[in-house]
Amino acid sequence: IEAAAPIGGGTVTLRARREPRRAVLEVLDNGPGLSEPTAPIFDPFFSTKPRGTGLGLSIVHRIVSDHGGTIAFESRPGRTVFRVALPMESRPAPESRPDER
């Protein structure tokens, strides 16, 4: 939302889809994009905001990685997409147990 704000209330879109072995989540905005597409945005303390701490995306990267997933982005003026892919485990349904009284 902050990334799209400089253009006067831009748009943020969330998408989710299921693939055979993973869930894919996308966050798209129509903001100005990153000035440097190779910027180390997932590195701790790197920020494009004047008053940013640079911890937000590094924490997101760590959480996604800890869950066996990946996060990537594409950015150009007017369109930035962050894509998170998380593995899906197939678990058997829990067995029904008689009430324990």
Side-chain angles (χ1 to χ4, degrees):
I1 292 170
E2 289 177 8
I7 64 163
T11 302
V12 176
T13 304
L14 304 175
R15 290 192 233 174
R17 70 178 180 273
R18 181 179 179 163
E19 294 181 351
R21 295 183 185 182
R22 63 186 191 160
V24 179
L25 310 167
E26 294 179 332
V27 180
L28 299 86
D29 73 60
N30 64 346
L34 293 168
S35 58
E36 296 179 45
T38 59
I41 63 170
F42 298 114
D43 288 356
F45 308 112
F46 176 85
S47 180
T48 59
K49 298 178 188 174
R51 302 183 84 191
T53 63
L55 293 176
L57 285 174
S58 66
I59 291 170
V60 168
H61 187 273
R62 175 66 186 260
I63 291 169
V64 170
S65 296
D66 285 354
H67 285 86
T70 59
I71 182 170
F73 74 98
E74 302 166 22
S75 184
R76 65 176 192 263
R79 184 173 192 272
T80 298
V81 181
F82 280 86
R83 189 170 293 111
V84 175
L86 295 168
M88 294 180 55
E89 296 179 25
S90 72
R91 297 180 183 166
E95 295 180 28
S96 55
R97 300 187 318 196
D99 287 331
E100 297 178 14
R101 297 180 190 220

